[in-house]
Amino acid sequence: MRRPKVHKDIELRQLRTFTLAATQGGFSAAAATLGLSVPAVWEQVRSLESILGTMLLVRQGRALELTVDGKLLLEIIQPHVSGLDSLVKLFQARRSESARQLSVASIPQVLANLLPPPIQEFMAKYGETQLRLLSDPGAATVMRMVERGEADLGLITANPDEPASPHLAHEYLFDLKFMLLTSSHHPLARKKEVKAGDLVKYPMITMLASSPNRKLLERILRRHDLLDRLHVVMENSSTDTIQKYVALGAGTALLSAWPTVHRHAPGLHVREFDPHIEALPVMLVTRKYAHLPDHVQEFLQILRKHLADSAPDHL
C-alpha cells in the first residue's frame, strides 16, 4: 500500500523571517536584522509558501508587497511571533538583574524637554538598570527603532501627512502648541496681535522641510496665499540651535513647543502664535502585542504621572 506524502512542519524561524520581511519591507532588511544572507531569508519564505501552498510576498517593481494570503498569515502570526520574541527578552532580563535595560527612542525636542524629570525619578528607583536613550529628528526613524526591538518605546510627534504604523500601538500624550519666537527687540515682540501676513515680512528660521513643524507652517501660509513669500534663512533640526539664532536676531521662528520653554532665555521672546491653530500631538509608541517588562511599565507610569502633574499650565 502506498504511503501518504508526509507534510513538512512549519518552523518558527520561517514565521519570524516572513514577519520581518513583511513588516520591514523586504528581504534585505530582514536579513540585516536576523544576521542572515538575503538568499537564506528568501529560501525560508519560499519554503513557507511551499508548505502553505500559496504565495505570500510578491514583487511590485522594486518593492515587496503582501498578497491577500500574506496579509492573512501576518495578521494571524504576528501577535505570537512578537510575544515569543518578547518572552526571550523578558527571560534574559529576569535571569540577570544587571542585564535589565530601558531603551527609549525619541525625537530631540521631546528628549530635551520632556524626559529629564521622569528619567531622573526612574533612575533614582532603578539605578541598576542600564539606560539607553536614542534620538533622531525623524519620527519615522524612531518608529522603526521600536518596530525592530531596538527600543522599548518611542516618543514622536504625529505627522498628519503620514499614516500611523500598523505594527505599533499609539498612545496620545499631549499637544505641543505653535509658539512664535523672536528676539526681545524684534518688532513682532511688541506687536499686540501677530497674523500670518506679519510673518513673511521678516526672515524665518525653520525646522527641516520634511518635519511636521515645517509642514504646519507651510499649511498656514498656503491658507493665506503667502507661501511664495516665505524667506527661510536657516533650516535646522535642533530647537536649541534655532532658539539661539532667533535670540541673536537672525530671524523669527514658529515652533511647536511647550508654552513656557525658554520664556526667560536672554534675548528671546516667546508667545503663542494663535490658539486656534492645530496643535502637534505627541505620541507614545510601543510594539503591538509585545510584552513590556515590569521596569518598562514602571517607567511609563512615572512618565504619565509627570505629564499629569504638568498639565494644563505647563503643556
Side-chain angles (χ1 to χ4, degrees):
M1 183 174 178
R2 189 176 181 181
R3 296 179 61 186
K5 185 177 180 180
V6 178
H7 200 69
K8 187 177 179 180
D9 290 335
I10 294 176
E11 299 177 3
L12 174 60
R13 63 191 179 97
Q14 295 170 333
L15 298 177
R16 179 180 284 110
T17 300
F18 164 72
T19 301
L20 287 172
T23 57
Q24 296 187 11
F27 294 143
S28 295
T33 301
L34 293 168
L36 300 174
S37 67
V38 173
V41 169
W42 184 90
E43 178 60 32
Q44 288 188 27
V45 174
R46 291 294 173 253
S47 295
L48 181 61
E49 290 177 331
S50 177
I51 294 171
L52 295 174
T54 185
M55 292 290 291
L56 301 173
L57 292 165
V58 294
R59 286 204 173 276
Q60 295 291 343
R62 299 183 66 181
L64 198 63
E65 295 185 1
L66 285 163
T67 64
V68 173
D69 285 342
K71 291 178 181 178
L72 176 60
L73 180 63
L74 181 64
E75 179 183 345
I76 293 172
I77 68 172
Q78 189 176 16
H80 305 290
V81 172
S82 296
L84 285 171
D85 288 342
S86 298
L87 179 63
V88 172
K89 290 182 67 176
L90 179 61
F91 171 76
Q92 291 172 342
R94 291 282 181 87
R95 193 178 184 188
S96 172
E97 288 297 317
S98 62
R100 188 164 62 183
Q101 184 181 86
L102 172 67
S103 298
V104 181
S106 174
I107 59 172
Q109 185 183 5
V110 174
L111 181 68
N113 294 286
L114 170 65
L115 285 180
I119 287 290
Q120 183 179 30
E121 180 177 337
F122 177 82
M123 295 308 296
K125 293 183 178 180
Y126 300 95
E128 74 283 359
T129 300
Q130 297 176 5
L131 181 64
R132 188 165 178 253
L133 300 177
L134 308 168
S135 179
D136 193 280
T141 302
V142 172
M143 288 191 289
R144 282 195 295 272
M145 291 179 187
V146 179
E147 286 176 344
R148 295 173 180 175
E150 298 169 9
D152 298 304
L153 57 98
L155 292 158
I156 63 171
T157 48
N159 188 342
D161 298 323
E162 296 179 0
S165 169
H167 312 299
L168 298 176
H170 295 71
E171 177 186 338
Y172 166 80
L173 296 178
F174 59 89
D175 287 327
L176 295 178
K177 296 184 178 181
F178 221 33
M179 309 298 290
L180 173 63
L181 281 65
T182 67
S183 64
S184 55
H185 54 77
H186 195 280
L188 293 184
R190 299 186 295 272
K191 192 173 177 62
K192 184 175 181 180
E193 182 181 4
V194 178
K195 298 182 178 179
D198 299 316
L199 299 175
V200 294
K201 295 178 182 178
Y202 306 96
M204 295 198 72
I205 301 172
T206 74
M207 300 291 282
L208 300 181
S210 60
S211 69
N213 197 102
R214 172 68 175 270
K215 292 181 183 298
L216 178 54
L217 168 62
E218 292 179 354
R219 281 200 296 273
I220 293 170
L221 297 180
R222 190 179 294 111
R223 211 173 286 154
H224 295 85
D225 198 25
L226 295 169
L227 184 57
D228 60 339
R229 295 173 57 187
L230 174 64
H231 175 204
V232 177
V233 294
M234 182 174 74
E235 294 181 0
N236 200 281
S237 62
S238 167
T239 56
D240 287 339
T241 300
I242 291 175
Q243 290 161 13
K244 288 177 182 177
Y245 279 88
V246 168
L248 291 175
T252 65
L254 277 177
L255 295 179
S256 298
W258 286 262
T260 56
V261 65
H262 294 292
R263 189 177 295 276
H264 305 295
L268 190 66
H269 184 269
V270 182
R271 63 194 285 188
E272 188 171 355
F273 174 61
D274 183 344
H276 301 102
I277 294 271
E278 59 211 85
L280 193 61
V282 173
M283 310 292 288
L284 166 71
V285 293
T286 53
R287 279 183 299 156
K288 281 184 178 179
Y289 317 115
H291 175 82
L292 296 179
D294 291 343
H295 66 283
V296 177
Q297 296 187 45
E298 174 67 18
F299 174 73
L300 290 177
Q301 292 180 11
I302 293 173
L303 175 64
R304 295 185 184 107
K305 178 178 71 71
H306 276 271
L307 290 175
D309 291 342
S310 299
D313 296 330
H314 183 60
L315 297 177

